[in-house]
Every structure is written in structure tokens, then in C-alpha cells.
Amino acid sequence: MPELPDVEGFRRVVADHVTGSRARSVRVLDTGVVHTSPADFARALEGQVFAEPSRCGKWLRVPTRNRSGYPQLLAHFGMTGAFVWSPGEEADHRHDRVVFEFREGSLRYRDMRKLTGLWLATERSEVAELLGDLGPDAAGVSRRDLRAKLTRTARRIKPALMDQTVVAGLGNLCVDEILWRARLAPTVSTAELDTAQWARLHARLGSVLRSSSRVGHVPDRPSWLTGHRDESDGRCPRCSAHLQRSKVGGRSTVWCPHCQPS
């Protein structure tokens, strides 16, 4: 499932190829991914010059170059969504759902499973309705805010980090990697962490997101937990102990019982 690093990669695709360009046409190939009238969606964005996109956790906002910044395109990528740039003319892919045509090529919203999709916002209140419940973007949250938000109620640390109303952008791969690097069990209560552990958690959160955002996904490097989570006999890349697997907060979870003792 796309997480903050993936969405940052999609943001760069839009920023590099679309910012400052005018949409010649908007083709809605699958009305199921557009959460408004497809005709209104295309009519509102055709002829618009797209401005610099921004990320809000797992959401991407693409304003238009008007005084108000509206209309805006908002995207949530679900499990299989992506923005793909196609230079020149290219035949539609079978999973292309919406195609934005520009002079130099096309921006394609490509999605196999179609679990979320694209929204059109024509005013600030519509953005607030969609994004108003989100917590701060995980890449920019301060240590103080992270601790304050995660300790409002005593919860297990993994479900708390994955709650988008607490911190926006973290998903299963990111959280498992962050907790492994911070040497914290996914089941530890947020009420049990001391000041040093909060500092370590915040530092590892930042380093994982920075490294992952540079490549546009959580990398499966040999030195990362992510690089071993799908192995049938996976071992910790730090201490070589056998990795443990279970459900935490309803999500498949991988951790090292030696490095992350309960």
C-alpha cells in the first residue's frame, strides 16, 4: 500500500512534469475512481495550469495556478494507485483510470484495484472536509508533538503510529521499520516510553522517512528489516535472531524479539 515515501515519489512525478503546464484535456476512463461527476471533473481541470503539488500524509494536493489556487486535484492512492508520466504519445494501459494530457506527454492515474481515487475541490471547505481529520504529516512532526499526540490515550505503539488522525502518512512497512530501528516492541504501550525512547523513536522515524522518500518507497535493502520481512525463515539483519510475525492492531507485523523485547 502506498505510504508517505511512495506519495512523495508521486509528488515528484507531478512536480517534475506537470507544474507550470496546462492540461489540454482530461479523459476519465473509469468513472469509479472519480468522486464527483466525471463531466464536472474534466470540465473543471481542462485548460488549467497546474501549480506546485504538496503532500498531506498519504494524500496529494495539486492546486491550479489561479489567485485562489482552486480548483484543486486531490489524490489518495489506496493499495495500488500511482501517478505515472508518459512522454509523448502512448497507448492507454489497461489500469489507466484518468489521463491528463499535456503538450509534452500525459499524467496517468493508474490503479489496479480502485480502492480510492481522485477528488475535485473547488473551495477551501471541500479540502477541509477531506483532510480535516488528519494529524500532522509524519515527515515534519516535532518530537514534542509526536509525544503529545501519541500519549493522549494509552495505546500500543504500532496502532497509534498508524492512526492517520494522530500522525499522517505512516503505513505498515514504515512503522515496522521505524520500531525495529528504535528497538521498540510493536506492542509496547505509549504510556511506558521514557524520554530517551521518545527521542530515539522520533529520530528513527525521521531517518526512515528521509531515506525512503529519496527513492519513493520503503526499500528492501539487506540492512533493513523490510529486506527480510517476506523471507520464510527471516532473520534480523542486526542480530541474526529469527524474526517474529503476528497481527498487531489487525495488521501483519514483523519484529525481532531480541532487539525489540516486549
Side-chain angles (χ1 to χ4, degrees), residues 197-214:
Q197 289 172 318
W198 280 112
R200 191 164 68 241
L201 175 64
H202 183 261
R204 300 303 178 265
L205 182 152
S207 63
V208 167
L209 292 182
R210 285 191 296 273
S211 295
S212 300
S213 293
R214 281 196 288 269

Side-chain angles (χ1 to χ4, degrees), residues 133-136 149 152 155 160 162-168:
D133 291 336
L134 292 179
K149 289 182 174 297
R152 286 178 179 173
R155 304 173 62 184
M162 293 188 64
D163 184 342
Q164 300 302 297
T165 67
V166 176
V167 182

